[in-house]
Amino acid sequence: MKWQCRRGTKELDFLLNRYLETGYLVADQREKDLFVELLGVEDDELSAVLMAEVEVPEEMKVLVGKIHDFCVD
């Protein structure tokens, strides 16, 4: 999974790896499943999702918020 968090930009790498190392460890199974789903998204779409440039389901919005929260520490 760590390898899947390595993407084409430093920003994506940082966001995904930071969440994997912190938030993923304490996430419930549904959130872990959503994160795996998110990792399956192509880089350009993933970037748009993480920058809130595209509409996503509420569950994914919550995960994206958590990804950002774990990066603020």
Side-chain angles (χ1 to χ4, degrees):
M1 188 172 296
K2 180 116 173 119
W3 187 253
Q4 290 177 308
C5 289
R6 297 209 55 210
R7 304 310 271 244
T9 66
K10 287 182 182 181
E11 294 83 0
L12 286 178
D13 288 358
F14 176 76
L15 288 169
L16 296 173
N17 279 298
R18 178 74 178 183
Y19 176 79
L20 180 65
E21 295 166 357
T22 55
Y24 187 83
L25 299 174
V26 296
D28 63 21
Q29 189 59 49
R30 179 63 184 140
E31 187 173 313
K32 288 178 179 180
D33 292 343
L34 283 171
F35 186 67
V36 170
E37 182 181 329
L38 192 65
L39 291 178
V41 175
E42 294 293 324
D43 287 357
D44 56 341
E45 186 179 347
L46 180 58
S47 180
V49 167
L50 292 176
M51 299 306 151
E53 296 172 351
V54 295
E55 192 64 30
V56 294
E58 191 60 37
E59 284 184 309
M60 195 62 75
K61 284 182 188 176
V62 171
L63 174 59
V64 168
K66 288 181 178 184
I67 290 171
H68 286 276
D69 290 345
F70 278 103
C71 292
V72 174
D73 292 342

Coordinates of all heavy atoms in Angstrom, one line a residue:
M1 N 0.8 -1.2 0.0 CA 0.0 0.0 0.0 C 0.9 1.3 0.0 O 0.5 2.2 -0.6 CB -0.9 0.0 1.2 CG -1.9 1.1 1.1 SD -3.2 1.0 2.4 CE -4.0 -0.5 2.0
K2 N 2.0 1.2 0.7 CA 2.9 2.3 0.7 C 3.3 2.7 -0.7 O 3.4 3.9 -1.1 CB 4.1 2.0 1.6 CG 5.1 3.1 1.7 CD 5.2 3.6 3.0 CE 6.3 4.6 3.2 NZ 5.9 5.9 3.6
W3 N 3.6 1.7 -1.5 CA 4.0 1.9 -2.9 C 2.9 2.6 -3.7 O 3.1 3.5 -4.5 CB 4.4 0.6 -3.5 CG 5.0 0.8 -4.9 CD1 4.4 0.5 -6.1 CD2 6.2 1.4 -5.2 NE1 5.2 0.8 -7.1 CE2 6.4 1.4 -6.6 CE3 7.3 1.9 -4.5 CZ2 7.5 1.8 -7.3 CZ3 8.4 2.3 -5.1 CH2 8.5 2.3 -6.5
Q4 N 1.6 2.2 -3.4 CA 0.5 2.9 -4.1 C 0.3 4.3 -3.7 O -0.3 5.1 -4.5 CB -0.8 2.1 -3.8 CG -0.9 0.8 -4.4 CD -2.1 0.0 -4.0 OE1 -2.4 -0.1 -2.9 NE2 -2.9 -0.4 -5.0
C5 N 0.9 4.7 -2.6 CA 0.8 6.1 -2.2 C 1.8 7.0 -2.9 O 1.8 8.2 -2.8 CB 1.0 6.2 -0.6 SG -0.4 5.6 0.3
R6 N 2.8 6.4 -3.5 CA 3.8 7.1 -4.3 C 3.2 7.5 -5.6 O 2.8 6.6 -6.4 CB 5.0 6.3 -4.5 CG 5.7 6.0 -3.1 CD 7.1 5.8 -3.2 NE 7.8 7.0 -3.8 CZ 8.9 7.0 -4.4 NH1 9.5 5.8 -4.6 NH2 9.4 8.0 -5.0
R7 N 3.0 8.8 -5.8 CA 2.3 9.3 -7.0 C 3.2 10.2 -7.8 O 4.4 10.2 -7.6 CB 1.0 10.0 -6.6 CG 0.0 9.2 -5.8 CD -0.2 7.8 -6.4 NE -1.3 7.8 -7.3 CZ -2.5 7.2 -7.1 NH1 -2.7 6.5 -6.1 NH2 -3.4 7.2 -8.0
G8 N 2.6 10.9 -8.7 CA 3.4 11.7 -9.6 C 3.9 13.1 -9.1 O 4.7 13.8 -9.7
T9 N 3.3 13.5 -8.0 CA 3.7 14.8 -7.4 C 4.0 14.7 -6.0 O 3.6 13.8 -5.3 CB 2.5 15.8 -7.6 OG1 1.4 15.4 -6.7 CG2 2.0 15.9 -9.0
K10 N 4.8 15.7 -5.5 CA 5.2 15.7 -4.1 C 4.0 15.9 -3.2 O 3.9 15.3 -2.1 CB 6.2 16.8 -3.9 CG 7.6 16.5 -4.4 CD 8.5 17.7 -4.0 CE 9.9 17.4 -4.6 NZ 10.8 18.5 -4.2
E11 N 3.0 16.7 -3.7 CA 1.9 17.0 -2.9 C 1.0 15.8 -2.6 O 0.6 15.5 -1.5 CB 1.0 18.1 -3.6 CG 1.6 19.4 -3.7 CD 2.6 19.6 -4.9 OE1 2.7 18.6 -5.6 OE2 3.2 20.7 -5.0
L12 N 0.8 15.0 -3.7 CA 0.0 13.8 -3.5 C 0.8 12.8 -2.7 O 0.2 12.1 -1.8 CB -0.3 13.1 -4.9 CG -1.4 13.8 -5.7 CD1 -1.5 13.1 -7.1 CD2 -2.7 13.9 -5.0
D13 N 2.1 12.6 -2.9 CA 2.9 11.7 -2.1 C 2.8 12.1 -0.6 O 2.6 11.2 0.2 CB 4.4 11.8 -2.5 CG 4.6 11.2 -3.9 OD1 3.7 10.6 -4.5 OD2 5.8 11.2 -4.3
F14 N 2.9 13.4 -0.3 CA 2.9 13.8 1.0 C 1.5 13.5 1.7 O 1.5 12.9 2.8 CB 3.2 15.3 1.1 CG 3.1 15.8 2.5 CD1 4.1 15.6 3.5 CD2 2.0 16.6 2.9 CE1 4.0 16.1 4.8 CE2 1.9 17.0 4.2 CZ 2.9 16.8 5.2
L15 N 0.5 13.9 1.0 CA -0.9 13.7 1.6 C -1.2 12.3 1.8 O -1.6 11.9 2.9 CB -1.9 14.3 0.7 CG -2.0 15.8 0.6 CD1 -3.0 16.2 -0.6 CD2 -2.5 16.4 1.9
L16 N -0.9 11.4 0.8 CA -1.3 10.0 0.9 C -0.4 9.3 1.9 O -0.9 8.5 2.7 CB -1.2 9.4 -0.4 CG -2.2 9.9 -1.5 CD1 -1.9 9.3 -2.8 CD2 -3.7 9.7 -1.0
N17 N 0.9 9.5 1.9 CA 1.8 8.8 2.8 C 1.6 9.3 4.3 O 1.6 8.4 5.2 CB 3.3 9.0 2.4 CG 3.6 8.1 1.3 OD1 3.6 6.9 1.5 ND2 4.0 8.6 0.1
R18 N 1.4 10.5 4.5 CA 1.1 11.0 5.8 C -0.1 10.4 6.4 O -0.1 9.9 7.6 CB 1.0 12.5 5.8 CG 0.7 13.2 7.1 CD 1.9 13.2 8.0 NE 1.5 13.8 9.2 CZ 2.3 14.1 10.2 NH1 3.6 13.7 10.1 NH2 1.9 14.7 11.3
Y19 N -1.2 10.3 5.6 CA -2.4 9.7 6.1 C -2.2 8.2 6.3 O -2.6 7.6 7.4 CB -3.6 9.8 5.1 CG -4.8 9.1 5.6 CD1 -5.6 9.6 6.5 CD2 -5.1 7.8 5.0 CE1 -6.7 8.9 7.0 CE2 -6.2 7.1 5.5 CZ -7.0 7.6 6.5 OH -8.1 6.9 6.9
L20 N -1.5 7.5 5.4 CA -1.2 6.1 5.6 C -0.4 5.8 6.9 O -0.7 4.9 7.6 CB -0.4 5.6 4.4 CG -0.1 4.1 4.5 CD1 -1.3 3.2 4.4 CD2 0.9 3.7 3.3
E21 N 0.5 6.7 7.2 CA 1.4 6.5 8.4 C 0.7 6.9 9.7 O 1.1 6.5 10.8 CB 2.6 7.3 8.2 CG 3.5 6.8 7.1 CD 4.6 7.7 6.7 OE1 4.7 8.8 7.3 OE2 5.4 7.4 5.8
T22 N -0.4 7.6 9.6 CA -1.1 8.1 10.8 C -2.5 7.7 10.9 O -2.9 6.9 11.7 CB -0.9 9.6 11.0 OG1 -1.4 10.3 9.8 CG2 0.5 10.1 11.2
G23 N -3.3 8.3 10.0 CA -4.8 8.1 10.0 C -5.2 6.7 9.7 O -6.2 6.2 10.3
Y24 N -4.6 6.1 8.7 CA -5.0 4.7 8.3 C -4.9 3.8 9.5 O -5.7 2.9 9.6 CB -4.1 4.3 7.2 CG -4.6 3.0 6.6 CD1 -5.6 2.9 5.6 CD2 -4.0 1.8 6.9 CE1 -6.0 1.7 5.1 CE2 -4.4 0.6 6.4 CZ -5.4 0.6 5.4 OH -5.8 -0.6 4.9
L25 N -3.9 3.9 10.3 CA -3.7 3.0 11.5 C -4.8 3.0 12.5 O -5.0 2.0 13.1 CB -2.4 3.4 12.2 CG -1.1 3.3 11.3 CD1 0.1 3.9 12.1 CD2 -0.8 1.9 10.9
V26 N -5.5 4.1 12.6 CA -6.6 4.2 13.5 C -8.0 4.2 12.9 O -9.0 4.3 13.5 CB -6.5 5.5 14.4 CG1 -5.2 5.4 15.3 CG2 -6.5 6.8 13.6
A27 N -8.0 4.0 11.6 CA -9.3 4.1 10.8 C -10.1 2.8 11.0 O -9.5 1.7 11.2 CB -9.0 4.3 9.3
D28 N -11.4 2.9 10.9 CA -12.2 1.7 10.9 C -12.2 1.1 9.5 O -11.6 1.6 8.6 CB -13.7 2.1 11.3 CG -14.4 3.0 10.3 OD1 -14.0 3.1 9.2 OD2 -15.4 3.6 10.8
Q29 N -12.8 -0.1 9.4 CA -12.6 -0.9 8.2 C -13.2 -0.1 7.0 O -12.7 -0.2 5.9 CB -13.3 -2.3 8.3 CG -13.0 -3.2 7.1 CD -11.5 -3.4 6.9 OE1 -10.7 -3.7 7.8 NE2 -11.0 -3.2 5.7
R30 N -14.4 0.5 7.2 CA -15.0 1.3 6.0 C -14.1 2.4 5.5 O -13.9 2.5 4.3 CB -16.3 1.9 6.5 CG -17.0 2.6 5.4 CD -17.4 1.7 4.2 NE -18.0 2.5 3.1 CZ -17.7 2.3 1.9 NH1 -16.9 1.3 1.5 NH2 -18.3 3.1 1.0
E31 N -13.4 3.1 6.4 CA -12.5 4.1 6.0 C -11.3 3.6 5.3 O -10.8 4.1 4.3 CB -12.1 5.0 7.2 CG -11.3 6.2 6.9 CD -11.0 7.1 8.1 OE1 -12.0 7.3 8.9 OE2 -9.9 7.5 8.3
K32 N -10.8 2.4 5.8 CA -9.7 1.8 5.1 C -10.1 1.4 3.7 O -9.3 1.5 2.8 CB -9.2 0.6 5.9 CG -8.5 1.0 7.2 CD -8.1 -0.3 8.0 CE -7.3 0.2 9.2 NZ -6.9 -1.0 10.0
D33 N -11.3 0.8 3.6 CA -11.8 0.4 2.2 C -11.9 1.6 1.3 O -11.5 1.6 0.1 CB -13.1 -0.3 2.3 CG -13.1 -1.6 3.0 OD1 -11.9 -2.2 3.1 OD2 -14.1 -2.1 3.5
L34 N -12.4 2.8 1.8 CA -12.5 4.0 1.0 C -11.1 4.5 0.6 O -10.9 5.0 -0.5 CB -13.2 5.1 1.8 CG -14.7 5.0 1.9 CD1 -15.2 6.0 2.9 CD2 -15.3 5.1 0.5
F35 N -10.1 4.4 1.5 CA -8.8 4.8 1.2 C -8.2 3.9 0.0 O -7.6 4.5 -0.9 CB -7.9 4.8 2.4 CG -6.5 5.3 2.2 CD1 -6.3 6.7 1.9 CD2 -5.4 4.5 2.2 CE1 -5.0 7.2 1.7 CE2 -4.1 5.0 2.0 CZ -3.9 6.4 1.7
V36 N -8.4 2.6 0.1 CA -7.9 1.7 -1.0 C -8.6 2.1 -2.3 O -8.0 2.1 -3.3 CB -8.2 0.3 -0.6 CG1 -8.0 -0.7 -1.7 CG2 -7.3 -0.1 0.6
E37 N -9.9 2.4 -2.2 CA -10.6 2.9 -3.4 C -10.0 4.1 -4.0 O -9.8 4.3 -5.2 CB -12.1 3.1 -3.0 CG -13.0 3.5 -4.2 CD -14.4 3.7 -3.7 OE1 -14.9 3.0 -2.8 OE2 -15.1 4.6 -4.3
L38 N -9.7 5.1 -3.1 CA -9.1 6.3 -3.5 C -7.8 6.1 -4.2 O -7.4 6.8 -5.2 CB -8.9 7.2 -2.3 CG -8.6 8.7 -2.5 CD1 -9.7 9.4 -3.2 CD2 -8.3 9.4 -1.2
L39 N -7.0 5.2 -3.7 CA -5.7 4.9 -4.3 C -5.8 4.3 -5.7 O -4.9 4.4 -6.5 CB -4.9 3.9 -3.4 CG -4.4 4.4 -2.1 CD1 -3.7 3.3 -1.3 CD2 -3.5 5.6 -2.2
G40 N -7.0 3.8 -6.1 CA -7.2 3.3 -7.4 C -7.5 4.3 -8.4 O -7.6 4.1 -9.6
V41 N -7.7 5.6 -8.0 CA -8.0 6.7 -8.9 C -6.8 7.2 -9.6 O -5.7 7.3 -8.9 CB -8.7 7.8 -8.1 CG1 -9.0 9.0 -8.9 CG2 -10.0 7.3 -7.5
E42 N -6.9 7.6 -10.8 CA -5.7 8.1 -11.6 C -5.3 9.5 -10.9 O -6.1 10.2 -10.3 CB -6.1 8.4 -13.0 CG -6.4 7.1 -13.8 CD -5.2 6.3 -14.0 OE1 -4.1 6.8 -14.2 OE2 -5.3 5.0 -14.0
D43 N -4.0 9.8 -11.1 CA -3.4 10.9 -10.4 C -4.1 12.3 -10.7 O -4.3 13.0 -9.7 CB -1.9 11.1 -10.9 CG -1.0 10.0 -10.2 OD1 -1.5 9.2 -9.4 OD2 0.2 10.0 -10.6
D44 N -4.5 12.5 -11.9 CA -5.2 13.8 -12.2 C -6.5 13.9 -11.5 O -6.9 15.0 -10.9 CB -5.3 14.1 -13.7 CG -6.0 13.0 -14.4 OD1 -6.1 11.9 -13.9 OD2 -6.5 13.3 -15.6
E45 N -7.3 12.8 -11.5 CA -8.6 12.8 -10.8 C -8.4 12.9 -9.3 O -9.1 13.5 -8.6 CB -9.4 11.6 -11.2 CG -10.8 11.6 -10.7 CD -11.6 10.4 -11.1 OE1 -11.2 9.7 -12.0 OE2 -12.7 10.2 -10.5
L46 N -7.4 12.1 -8.8 CA -7.1 12.1 -7.4 C -6.7 13.5 -6.9 O -7.2 13.9 -5.8 CB -5.9 11.1 -7.1 CG -5.5 10.9 -5.7 CD1 -6.7 10.5 -4.8 CD2 -4.4 9.9 -5.6
S47 N -5.9 14.2 -7.6 CA -5.5 15.5 -7.3 C -6.8 16.4 -7.2 O -6.9 17.2 -6.2 CB -4.6 16.1 -8.3 OG -4.2 17.4 -8.0
A48 N -7.7 16.3 -8.1 CA -8.9 17.1 -8.1 C -9.8 16.7 -6.9 O -10.4 17.6 -6.3 CB -9.7 16.9 -9.4
V49 N -9.8 15.5 -6.6 CA -10.6 15.0 -5.4 C -10.0 15.6 -4.1 O -10.7 16.2 -3.3 CB -10.7 13.5 -5.3 CG1 -11.2 13.0 -4.0 CG2 -11.5 12.9 -6.4
L50 N -8.7 15.5 -4.0 CA -8.0 16.0 -2.8 C -8.0 17.5 -2.6 O -7.9 18.0 -1.6 CB -6.6 15.4 -2.7 CG -6.5 13.9 -2.4 CD1 -5.1 13.5 -2.5 CD2 -7.2 13.5 -1.1
M51 N -8.2 18.2 -3.8 CA -8.2 19.6 -3.7 C -9.7 20.2 -3.8 O -9.9 21.4 -4.0 CB -7.4 20.2 -4.9 CG -6.0 19.9 -4.9 SD -5.2 20.3 -3.3 CE -3.9 19.1 -3.2
A52 N -10.6 19.2 -3.6 CA -12.1 19.6 -3.6 C -12.5 20.3 -4.9 O -13.4 21.2 -4.8 CB -12.4 20.4 -2.4
E53 N -11.9 19.9 -6.0 CA -12.3 20.5 -7.3 C -13.4 19.7 -8.0 O -14.0 20.2 -9.0 CB -11.1 20.6 -8.2 CG -10.0 21.5 -7.6 CD -8.7 21.4 -8.4 OE1 -8.6 20.6 -9.3 OE2 -7.8 22.3 -8.2
V54 N -13.7 18.5 -7.5 CA -14.8 17.7 -8.1 C -15.7 17.2 -6.9 O -15.3 17.1 -5.8 CB -14.3 16.5 -8.8 CG1 -13.5 16.9 -10.1 CG2 -13.4 15.6 -8.0
E55 N -16.9 17.0 -7.3 CA -17.9 16.5 -6.3 C -17.7 15.0 -6.1 O -17.6 14.2 -7.0 CB -19.3 16.8 -6.8 CG -20.4 16.6 -5.8 CD -20.4 17.6 -4.7 OE1 -19.9 18.7 -4.9 OE2 -20.8 17.2 -3.6
V56 N -17.7 14.6 -4.8 CA -17.5 13.2 -4.4 C -18.6 12.9 -3.4 O -19.1 13.8 -2.7 CB -16.1 12.9 -3.9 CG1 -15.1 13.1 -4.9 CG2 -15.8 13.8 -2.6
P57 N -18.9 11.6 -3.2 CA -19.9 11.2 -2.2 C -19.4 11.7 -0.8 O -18.2 11.9 -0.5 CB -19.9 9.7 -2.3 CG -19.3 9.3 -3.6 CD -18.4 10.5 -4.0
E58 N -20.4 11.8 0.1 CA -20.2 12.4 1.4 C -19.1 11.5 2.2 O -18.3 12.1 2.8 CB -21.5 12.4 2.2 CG -21.4 13.1 3.5 CD -21.0 14.6 3.4 OE1 -21.4 15.3 2.4 OE2 -20.2 15.1 4.2
E59 N -19.2 10.2 2.1 CA -18.2 9.4 2.8 C -16.8 9.7 2.3 O -15.8 9.8 3.1 CB -18.4 7.9 2.5 CG -19.6 7.3 3.2 CD -19.6 5.8 2.9 OE1 -19.6 5.4 1.7 OE2 -19.7 5.0 3.9
M60 N -16.6 10.0 1.0 CA -15.3 10.3 0.5 C -14.9 11.7 1.0 O -13.7 11.9 1.2 CB -15.3 10.2 -1.0 CG -13.9 10.2 -1.6 SD -12.9 8.8 -1.2 CE -13.6 7.5 -2.1
K61 N -15.8 12.6 1.1 CA -15.5 14.0 1.6 C -15.0 13.9 3.0 O -14.0 14.6 3.4 CB -16.8 14.9 1.6 CG -17.2 15.4 0.2 CD -18.4 16.3 0.4 CE -19.0 16.6 -1.0 NZ -20.2 17.4 -0.8
V62 N -15.6 13.0 3.8 CA -15.1 12.9 5.2 C -13.7 12.3 5.2 O -12.8 12.8 5.9 CB -16.0 11.9 6.0 CG1 -15.5 11.6 7.3 CG2 -17.4 12.6 6.1
L63 N -13.4 11.3 4.4 CA -12.0 10.8 4.3 C -11.0 11.9 3.8 O -10.0 12.0 4.4 CB -12.0 9.6 3.3 CG -10.6 9.0 3.0 CD1 -9.9 8.6 4.3 CD2 -10.7 7.9 2.0
V64 N -11.4 12.6 2.8 CA -10.5 13.7 2.3 C -10.2 14.7 3.4 O -9.1 15.1 3.5 CB -11.1 14.3 1.0 CG1 -10.4 15.6 0.6 CG2 -11.2 13.4 -0.2
G65 N -11.2 15.0 4.1 CA -11.1 15.9 5.3 C -10.1 15.4 6.3 O -9.2 16.1 6.8
K66 N -10.2 14.1 6.6 CA -9.3 13.5 7.5 C -7.8 13.4 6.9 O -6.9 13.6 7.7 CB -9.7 12.0 7.8 CG -10.9 12.0 8.7 CD -11.3 10.6 9.0 CE -12.6 10.6 10.0 NZ -12.9 9.2 10.4
I67 N -7.7 13.2 5.6 CA -6.4 13.2 5.0 C -5.7 14.5 5.2 O -4.6 14.6 5.6 CB -6.5 12.8 3.5 CG1 -6.8 11.3 3.4 CG2 -5.2 13.1 2.8 CD1 -7.2 10.9 2.0
H68 N -6.5 15.6 5.0 CA -6.0 16.9 5.2 C -5.7 17.2 6.7 O -4.6 17.8 7.0 CB -7.0 18.0 4.7 CG -7.0 18.1 3.2 ND1 -6.1 18.8 2.5 CD2 -7.8 17.5 2.3 CE1 -6.4 18.7 1.2 NE2 -7.4 17.8 1.0
D69 N -6.5 16.8 7.6 CA -6.3 17.0 9.0 C -5.0 16.3 9.5 O -4.3 16.9 10.3 CB -7.5 16.4 9.8 CG -8.8 17.3 9.6 OD1 -8.7 18.4 9.1 OD2 -9.8 16.8 10.0
F70 N -4.8 15.1 9.0 CA -3.5 14.4 9.5 C -2.3 15.1 8.9 O -1.2 14.8 9.4 CB -3.6 13.0 9.1 CG -4.4 12.1 10.1 CD1 -5.7 11.7 9.8 CD2 -3.9 11.8 11.3 CE1 -6.4 11.0 10.7 CE2 -4.6 11.1 12.2 CZ -5.9 10.7 11.9
C71 N -2.4 15.9 7.9 CA -1.3 16.6 7.3 C -1.0 17.9 7.9 O 0.1 18.5 7.7 CB -1.5 16.7 5.8 SG -1.4 15.1 4.9
V72 N -1.9 18.4 8.7 CA -1.7 19.7 9.3 C -0.9 19.6 10.6 O -0.2 20.6 11.0 CB -3.1 20.3 9.7 CG1 -3.0 21.6 10.5 CG2 -3.9 20.5 8.4
D73 N -0.8 18.5 11.2 CA 0.0 18.3 12.5 C 1.3 19.0 12.5 O 2.2 19.0 11.9 CB 0.1 16.8 12.8 CG -1.2 16.2 13.2 OD1 -2.1 17.0 13.5 OD2 -1.3 15.0 13.2

